Amino acid sequence: MAPRKNFRNQAKKEVKPAAVVNKNGVKAEATVAASGGGGGFSGTKIFTWFMVLALLGVWSSVAVVWFDLVDYDNVIGKLSAYDADGDGDFDVEDAKVLLDESPGEVASKKNRTKGLKERPVSVVLREAKEESAVKEPDAVPPPDDDVDGSQNTDVESEIQAAVSLPPISDDFIPDDSRDEATHPYEDENDAIDTKGELVEKAQPQQTVEESKQYNDQPGSLETKEAEAESVPEPEADVEPEVESVPELEAEFVPQLKENAEDQPKDKLKEKAKKKKPKLLNKFEKTIKTEIDAAEKLRKKGKVEEAVRAFETLVLQYPQSPRCRYGKALAEDGLAEKMLSNDMLQKAIATYKEASELPNATPDLIKATLKKRAERQQFLGRMRGALATLEKLVQIFPEDVALKNDLGVAHLLIGDNKSAKRVYEEVLAVAPSDGFAKVHYGFILKSENKIAESIPFLRDGLESGDPGTDDGRFYFHLGDALQRMGDDSAYKWYERGHQRGHFASVWQRSLYNVDGLKAQPWWTPKDTGYMDLVKTLERNWRIIRDEALSVMDKTTSLFVPEEENLREKGEWGQFTLWQQGKKAGESCRSVPKTCGLLERYPEATGCKRGQIKFSVMQPGTHVWPHTGPTNCRLRMHLGLVIPKTGCKIRCTNDTRAWEEGKVLIFDDSFEHEVWQDADSYRLIFIVDVWHPELTQYQRQTLSPI
């Protein structure tokens, strides 16, 4: 029987180190360092040295932060050009934006082909905001304003709007602020109608009630974009068939300062290098990691989690202004997501709390109160916003931009006198401030100081300062020049057209839907409203007789035109429908006329028009002007027309009324009226929706 081998002993023998012969021929055993052997570097020593170094690093970091050994603002400030979300730091989310990734998701690689170096910082930031914007749901038509007692204000008075506004989201349904103050621009022709965001602020994603919002006043840029997107492509481009526009001299090229998109990249970079706002106080730098974690939730759109995170921080650090400011921003975002006025009111209150805490940095106070004022304006709390801006100006009396905003706030409540005083103060210390100039010029024009307004409007536009390149200022400058008999008005209209504010030199309405057929004069067949036209013409005597009964001098319900459209003469109006809303008291005076119109929703439901009687006395001249929108057509039914002396011009085509006949024109084109007869002229005006508007658009477009 073969003996059993001892494999254990064999294994030990196999690992026995072999002998090595040194240079002297002496054999030596190769040694392996044991864990406890002498002469080697033990594992215990390695761990000990690692702990010593780690503790040194921790205490060094604490010392750097606590004793301000490093100027973080200076170091990090170099990255301010790339702070895409405005939270006061540069982090992963900002990097994603700069790499063409929207917050929370990676953009398509195709969007990265241009490369970061080819894109100005301002463009990157703007695109980031657009990509992260939350799409609004289908809007609900906003309630119209009461038309009773509003007959002294024609729709075209809305053209007097001329104030730029800080960008404000269109996502909320503003509260009815009539208990606080009525909207000044619906009752006063000399007040500036300011929202966009420019009404259409342009608006209309119509989940928002717009009647009391600054930035929801017709004309905001946001609305124009929204309207343009909601309009189907026209079947064919239709050019207005009009005679040539007054010839523009070649030498007229106003030297405007370049806007951001026109400026070289080096200039944009210089602007981007403005001093970074300091939002953290000394203590808050020690909890910056916790603040950043909550802020990242907000930037990723996780607003509910962000609110909870900031609420926890506020409970933990109740005296931290930055934590409370973050809570307000998160609540603001949640209000937008929920379309909740209550939540927005909560955010407004939190903004105030943050600004009043001790140790709040000046930059945080300014950012917080500015945001609060914007949100108050959005909700129609114009007087509350005014108080907030007055406080800001008291704290930062040297900040010209804040004073300019304060002037706008005064205009929003119809206090042109106070606004004028503010802009005079601004121009005294900053005589070249373009923003102040255009607004001051508008105020002078509203006071009918036409000649005095022109240099301020012109110089302000030529400055190219932010907030000046607005179609409303081109409109008012051209209008002032026309009234002074200066043909250079059309040169400024051309400039406004080139800048994209007007559809053409002739068609200068500001609140438009793109793609609609545009021509100055229409036939009944063109409109598709043949039945309405026939009803008006068949019953013109009934309509005339009711109008004459209202004109009885002892019970006259006609009110003077107060839009400052007349050079001379008398012009009265009696309104039956305004902004698609029936004036019940007026219709009781002319029941047959109102009864005839009830079955024509294209007229009675036209929220951007009116139905009214218009009487003009001899010797009246109406300045050349345009209506506010291309969304309507205007019908004139002749009731009492003198044989000669009455005419209307639309573009270069002049026509006359006939009794019992309907004239149809697009009043977004320039038109002018003369009444040189020996007796009064009486017509019936019926505005109708542009026939190419869809039913959805008619329901959702904001009222004008």
Side-chain angles (χ1 to χ4, degrees):
M1 182 172 179
R4 178 181 295 178
K5 293 182 179 180
N6 191 334
F7 290 101
R8 180 178 299 178
N9 293 335
Q10 184 176 351
K12 290 181 179 180
K13 291 178 182 180
E14 290 174 354
V15 299
K16 183 177 181 179
V20 179
V21 180
N22 60 20
K23 292 182 179 180
N24 298 324
V26 181
K27 292 183 178 181
E29 293 288 327
T31 61
V32 178
S35 60
F41 201 73
S42 71
T44 302
K45 291 181 179 180
I46 293 175
F47 178 75
T48 301
W49 280 106
F50 175 78
M51 291 301 297
V52 170
L53 292 175
L55 289 172
L56 284 173
V58 171
W59 285 110
S60 297
S61 299
V62 172
V64 167
V65 173
W66 186 259
F67 297 106
D68 266 344
L69 299 180
V70 176
D71 186 357
Y72 285 100
D73 294 325
N74 182 47
V75 175
I76 301 175
K78 296 179 180 179
L79 297 175
S80 63
Y82 308 104
D83 181 14
D85 49 29
D87 65 338
D89 66 353
F90 177 79
D91 51 22
V92 175
E93 297 304 318
D94 299 310
K96 288 183 178 181
V97 172
L98 295 175
L99 293 174
D100 231 358
E101 299 181 10
S102 60
E105 63 177 358
V106 181
S108 170
K109 292 183 179 181
K110 294 181 181 179
N111 294 331
R112 302 180 183 178
T113 55
K114 293 184 179 180
L116 185 58
K117 294 182 180 180
E118 297 179 3
R119 306 173 67 203
V121 173
S122 64
V123 175
V124 173
L125 301 184
R126 184 174 68 251
E127 292 178 353
K129 291 180 180 178
E130 293 173 352
E131 291 173 3
S132 63
V134 179
K135 294 184 178 179
E136 301 175 358
D138 291 342
V140 177
D144 301 322
D145 295 332
D146 185 9
V147 299
D148 291 340
S150 65
Q151 297 147 2
N152 59 346
T153 304
D154 189 271
V155 172
E156 293 164 358
S157 62
E158 294 291 342
I159 300 175
Q160 303 299 326
V163 174
S164 305
L165 205 71
I168 301 178
S169 170
D170 291 80
D171 295 331
F172 308 101
I173 301 175
D175 295 335
D176 187 351
S177 60
R178 282 174 289 189
D179 57 339
E180 185 175 320
T182 58
H183 198 295
Y185 309 121
E186 295 172 359
D187 299 322
E188 299 186 23
N189 68 300
D190 60 346
I192 298 179
D193 174 14
T194 52
K195 188 70 158 12
E197 189 301 6
L198 20 129
V199 153
E200 277 141 23
K201 155 194 171 231
Q203 334 268 49
Q205 299 287 342
Q206 297 289 317
T207 45
V208 181
E209 179 183 341
E210 302 154 346
S211 61
K212 303 296 178 189
Q213 302 180 44
Y214 175 3
N215 76 317
D216 285 343
Q217 294 301 317
S220 83
L221 298 179
E222 291 94 345
T223 304
K224 292 178 182 174
E225 294 173 357
E227 290 180 352
E229 293 173 358
S230 66
V231 178
E233 290 293 328
E235 296 180 0
D237 294 329
V238 180
E239 295 295 332
E241 299 177 3
V242 299
E243 297 179 26
S244 61
V245 176
E247 186 175 353
L248 305 178
E249 298 176 11
E251 66 269 17
F252 174 76
V253 181
Q255 298 300 315
L256 301 178
K257 288 184 180 179
E258 298 169 312
N259 286 343
E261 61 269 20
D262 301 325
Q263 296 180 13
K265 295 176 184 177
D266 56 344
K267 289 186 178 181
L268 292 175
K269 290 180 181 178
E270 289 177 8
K271 289 186 177 182
K273 288 180 180 178
K274 289 181 179 179
K275 187 177 179 181
K276 181 180 179 180
K278 297 181 179 180
L279 302 181
L280 301 177
N281 61 29
K282 193 171 186 178
F283 166 74
E284 288 165 339
K285 292 177 182 179
T286 67
I287 59 171
K288 185 176 184 297
T289 301
E290 298 174 69
I291 295 174
D292 288 346
E295 192 64 29
K296 280 180 175 136
L297 292 173
R298 185 181 69 85
K299 290 186 292 184
K300 289 180 178 179
K302 300 178 180 179
V303 287
E304 294 92 344
E305 295 179 41
V307 169
R308 290 193 292 270
F310 276 113
E311 284 176 344
T312 300
L313 288 175
V314 168
L315 289 174
Q316 190 173 357
Y317 310 108
Q319 295 301 307
S320 166
R322 180 62 182 88
C323 290
R324 205 162 301 250
Y325 177 53
K327 178 174 177 281
L329 290 173
E331 290 170 343
D332 203 335
L334 183 57
E336 180 175 353
K337 182 176 181 179
M338 297 171 58
L339 298 179
S340 169
N341 282 355
D342 291 339
M343 181 56 68
L344 184 55
Q345 289 281 25
K346 186 176 181 180
I348 290 173
T350 307
Y351 283 130
K352 182 180 180 182
E353 294 171 4
S355 70
E356 294 176 346
L357 285 175
N359 300 320
T361 66
D363 287 344
L364 185 134
I365 293 174
K366 182 182 293 186
T368 301
L369 291 180
K370 284 182 68 176
K371 195 74 174 177
R372 184 170 192 261
E374 291 173 9
R375 289 335 219 165
Q376 287 173 312
Q377 287 176 338
F378 177 79
L379 283 180
R381 309 298 187 186
M382 301 305 177
R383 295 189 182 276
L386 176 63
T388 301
L389 287 167
E390 286 176 335
K391 182 177 180 180
L392 265 171
V393 170
Q394 290 173 0
I395 299 173
F396 306 100
E398 304 303 320
D399 194 318
V400 171
L402 290 178
K403 288 187 176 180
N404 281 334
D405 290 342
L406 178 61
V408 171
H410 282 297
L411 291 169
L412 284 171
I413 63 171
D415 188 359
N416 286 17
K417 184 177 180 180
S418 296
K420 184 178 182 181
R421 183 176 63 252
V422 169
Y423 289 123
E424 286 173 343
E425 293 174 359
V426 171
L427 292 173
V429 298
S432 62
D433 188 286
F435 186 92
K437 282 188 172 183
V438 289
H439 288 86
Y440 188 68
F442 175 83
I443 294 171
L444 291 175
K445 183 172 179 288
S446 71
E447 295 174 346
N448 213 30
K449 297 178 180 178
I450 306 300
E452 297 176 42
S453 72
I454 291 173
F456 288 98
L457 287 167
R458 181 176 56 227
D459 293 349
L461 283 172
E462 288 178 342
S463 74
D465 288 348
T468 62
D469 187 23
D470 189 299
R472 290 166 288 190
F473 297 123
Y474 286 95
F475 176 93
H476 287 291
L477 174 57
D479 183 62
L481 290 168
Q482 276 186 301
R483 298 189 183 200
M484 295 300 297
D486 190 337
D487 289 340
S488 67
Y490 289 98
K491 299 173 183 178
W492 283 99
Y493 291 147
E494 174 64 23
R495 170 59 60 173
H497 169 53
Q498 292 173 358
R499 304 292 291 184
H501 302 306
F502 305 140
S504 71
V505 173
W506 286 121
Q507 191 179 22
R508 302 189 298 271
S509 53
L510 297 175
Y511 318 132
N512 303 321
V513 168
D514 293 338
L516 298 181
K517 181 178 180 179
Q519 63 186 41
W521 292 98
W522 290 64
T523 67
K525 185 177 180 180
D526 290 338
T527 67
Y529 301 136
M530 289 289 295
D531 189 36
L532 172 59
V533 173
K534 289 179 180 178
T535 297
L536 292 173
E537 293 183 341
R538 280 198 302 262
N539 297 279
W540 75 275
R541 289 184 176 86
I542 295 174
I543 298 171
R544 178 198 62 191
D545 292 344
E546 286 196 327
L548 292 175
S549 69
V550 175
M551 287 178 60
D552 185 300
K553 292 187 181 296
T554 60
T555 60
S556 178
L557 297 177
F558 281 75
V559 295
E561 179 276 329
E562 295 181 348
E563 303 167 58
N564 196 24
L565 294 176
R566 288 170 292 158
E567 177 189 10
K568 58 182 180 178
E570 298 180 22
W571 180 12
Q573 302 173 3
F574 178 61
T575 302
L576 306 181
W577 269 270
Q578 173 100 358
Q579 296 181 337
K581 201 166 188 177
K582 184 177 180 180
E585 186 64 30
S586 298
C587 276
R588 278 190 283 274
S589 300
V590 288
K592 294 179 182 178
T593 300
C594 290
L596 290 171
L597 291 168
E598 291 284 4
R599 62 190 183 95
Y600 296 105
E602 63 267 29
T604 59
C606 182
K607 294 184 295 183
R608 296 195 163 190
Q610 295 173 308
I611 300 175
K612 61 187 177 182
F613 293 104
S614 172
V615 62
M616 190 173 290
Q617 300 298 333
T620 300
H621 174 232
V622 178
W623 293 110
H625 64 286
T626 61
T629 178
N630 72 340
C631 295
R632 74 186 186 199
L633 302 178
R634 177 154 283 190
M635 295 183 179
H636 281 190
L637 172 65
L639 300 178
V640 178
I641 308 299
K643 292 186 180 297
T644 59
C646 296
K647 56 186 178 180
I648 178 172
R649 173 184 67 82
C650 188
T651 63
N652 281 335
D653 189 351
T654 301
R655 303 187 183 186
W657 297 272
E658 296 180 42
E659 293 183 357
K661 298 297 181 182
V662 171
L663 282 178
I664 308 174
F665 67 102
D666 184 339
D667 77 327
S668 64
F669 287 86
E670 179 182 294
H671 54 287
E672 182 177 11
V673 176
W674 297 266
Q675 215 290 45
D676 296 323
D678 296 328
S679 59
Y680 67 85
R681 180 226 65 180
L682 177 64
I683 63 173
F684 187 44
I685 298 176
V686 179
D687 290 335
V688 294
W689 284 117
H690 192 291
E692 291 183 353
L693 287 173
T694 66
Q695 194 62 36
Y696 174 77
Q697 289 169 328
R698 299 181 189 195
Q699 292 174 353
T700 58
L701 284 172
S702 59
I704 295 179

